[in-house]
């Protein structure tokens, strides 16, 4: 197998503001793995708050030697090797895992949702993200989201109630919220969740800082809606850290090293009675197609990352009646845009 990679910069449709940061671009690294004339595509998306950069990803990828592997090797053997090279580097590892899935799926001429036996129609509605913004922009973004059946609203600033009231003046579409650790008082957080519940909010992502474990457990116990771990949960090995603290976990390929581990997390979460959300970064249709293979197996999908960028260099994911569908094509089911 031959691994190649190059940096690429995603241009965002709107300045993206979270409780902790604001930006107009997202750096990514695009990966290709070639074997027997088949090419598998992968991607590492690197929003700055995660700490990885194009340089750290390319430095990690340069250390990998895939020349010793071929399609006759088990894919998991290669994934285990990649994970063993260095700790961390989850997005870089995910880029290789995604490319391997594309490659192996193409080699057997099947998309992964089919290999895994999933029914694409059983995917939950995917949410469309509305970042923290001015009243006018919030209104405009809400109108732009008319094809979606669920809105994901970023909270955690001083304008939380204004943002929700503005959206509710435009639409009664269900909302989920993500405070990105923005609420630091458990009584305030519980008041907010009760206020939001009355306004059609169905679940909340990471209301409090990840360090505030006891306060989060207190909040989850009293919350009128499920409380989902995002910043508090990265990989399968974190599962014990969220049990009894949160109602569920937000799996992102870039956090958990890719599709293989994401599938294991879903299986373990089911056994633990935890809700499962499948999220994304701003990323191209490559990484979104990878995540959408798993969408039929989760409770909540937040797979709009490719719709938030201007220069998507892949195609192959569709939004139909508010759900993200991976294509019928093998592997990830994507094509490179010329
Ligand atoms: Mg989140």
């Amino acid at each position: 197998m031959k691994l190649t990679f190059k940096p690429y910069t995603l241009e965002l449709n709107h300045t993206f503001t979270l409780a902790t940061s604001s930006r107009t671009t997202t750096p990514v690294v695009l990966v290709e793995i070639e074997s027997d004339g088949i090419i598998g595509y992968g991607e590492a998306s690197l929003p700055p708050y995660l700490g990885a950069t194009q340089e750290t990803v390319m430095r990690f990828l340069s250390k990998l030697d895939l020349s010793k592997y071929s399609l006759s090797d088990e894919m998991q053997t290669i994934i285990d090797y990649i994970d063993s090279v260095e700790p961390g580097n989850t997005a870089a590892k995910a880029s290789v895992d995604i490319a391997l899935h594309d490659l192996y799926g193409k080699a057997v001429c099947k998309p992964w949702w089919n290999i895994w036996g999933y029914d694409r129609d059983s995917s939950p509605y995917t949410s469309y993200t509305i970042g923290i913004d001015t009243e006018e922009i919030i209104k405009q973004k809400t109108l732009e989201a008319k094809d979606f059946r669920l809105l994901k609203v970023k909270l955690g600033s001083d304008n939380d109630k204004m943002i929700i009231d503005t959206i509710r003046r435009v639409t009664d579409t269900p909302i989920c919220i993500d405070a990105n650790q923005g609420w630091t008082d458990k009584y305030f957080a519980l008041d907010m969740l009760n206020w939001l519940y009355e306004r059609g909010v169905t679940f909340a992502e990471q209301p409090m800082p990840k360090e505030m474990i006891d306060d989060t457990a207190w909040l989850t116990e009293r919350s009128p809606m499920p409380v989902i771990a995002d910043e508090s949960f990265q990989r399968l090995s974190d599962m014990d850290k969220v049990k009894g603290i949160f109602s569920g976990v937000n799996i992102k390929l870039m956090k958990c090293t890719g599709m293989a581990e994401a599938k294991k997390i879903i299986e373990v979460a089911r056994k633990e009675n935890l809700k499962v959300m499948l999220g994304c970064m701003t990323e191209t249709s490559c990484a979104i197609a990878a995540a959408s293979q798993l969408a039929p197996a989760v409770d909540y999908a937040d797979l709009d990352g490719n719709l938030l960028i201007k220069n998507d260099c892949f195609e192959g994911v569709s939004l139909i009646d508010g759900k993200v569908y991976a294509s019928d094509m093998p592997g990830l089911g994507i094509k490179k845009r010329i």
Side-chain angles (χ1 to χ4, degrees), residues 47-259:
Y49 60 88
L50 290 181
T53 62
Q54 288 170 327
E55 289 69 32
T56 64
V57 168
M58 293 193 289
R59 185 194 50 75
F60 178 82
L61 295 176
S62 306
K63 285 189 173 181
L64 303 179
D65 177 16
L66 298 192
S67 66
K68 55 188 171 185
Y69 296 111
S70 73
L71 281 164
S72 58
D73 289 296
E74 290 280 341
M75 184 173 69
Q76 188 62 49
T77 307
I78 311 173
I79 290 169
D80 291 343
Y81 154 68
I82 291 155
D83 202 19
S84 74
V85 170
E86 242 182 50
N89 293 289
T90 58
K93 290 172 183 175
S95 71
V96 182
D97 166 284
I98 292 169
L100 286 170
H101 277 81
D102 195 27
L103 180 71
Y104 275 77
K106 282 170 174 166
V108 296
C109 293
K110 283 183 180 176
W112 278 92
W113 58 265
N114 180 271
I115 294 170
W116 285 328
Y118 295 148
D119 170 10
R120 281 178 300 174
D121 290 328
S122 66
S123 298
Y125 293 124
T126 198
S127 52
Y128 183 80
T129 302
I130 297 179
I132 294 168
D133 231 311
T134 62
E135 192 169 338
E136 194 47 42
I137 301 280
I138 298 275
K139 199 175 150 190
Q140 183 195 330
K141 286 186 187 171
T142 307
L143 290 167
E144 279 175 26
K146 61 182 179 348
D147 293 337
F148 291 83
R149 305 292 191 89
L150 179 63
L151 301 175
K152 168 164 161 168
V153 181
K154 294 288 191 180
L155 297 183
S157 75
D158 294 336
N159 297 324
D160 289 350
K161 288 190 175 176
M162 176 282 283
I163 290 170
I164 297 295
D165 286 336
T166 302
I167 294 168
R168 276 290 169 257
R169 279 196 289 276
V170 179
T171 179
D172 57 5
T173 300
I175 294 173
C176 59
I177 66 99
D178 185 355
N180 285 113
Q181 317 183 73
W183 301 335
T184 51
D185 179 285
K186 66 182 179 184
Y187 299 103
F188 172 82
L190 183 59
D191 282 349
M192 278 304 294
L193 292 184
N194 283 321
W195 184 87
L196 291 163
Y197 185 70
E198 287 163 14
R199 282 152 186 84
V201 173
T202 54
F203 69 94
E205 219 182 298
Q206 197 76 39
M208 304 188 73
K210 60 183 174 191
E211 298 78 18
M212 299 183 74
I213 296 163
D214 293 345
D215 290 3
T216 301
W218 181 93
L219 180 65
T220 301
E221 204 184 324
R222 290 159 181 80
S223 170
M225 64 185 80
V227 178
I228 306 295
D230 185 6
E231 287 86 342
S232 293
F233 179 81
Q234 311 285 320
R235 298 192 60 171
L236 185 58
S237 51
D238 296 328
M239 207 55 122
D240 284 342
K241 285 199 255 169
V242 299
K243 270 193 273 176
I245 311 292
F246 288 90
S247 329
V249 293
N250 184 354
I251 301 171
K252 292 175 181 168
L253 299 185
M254 299 303 147
K255 291 193 300 185
C256 79
T257 71
M259 297 165 73

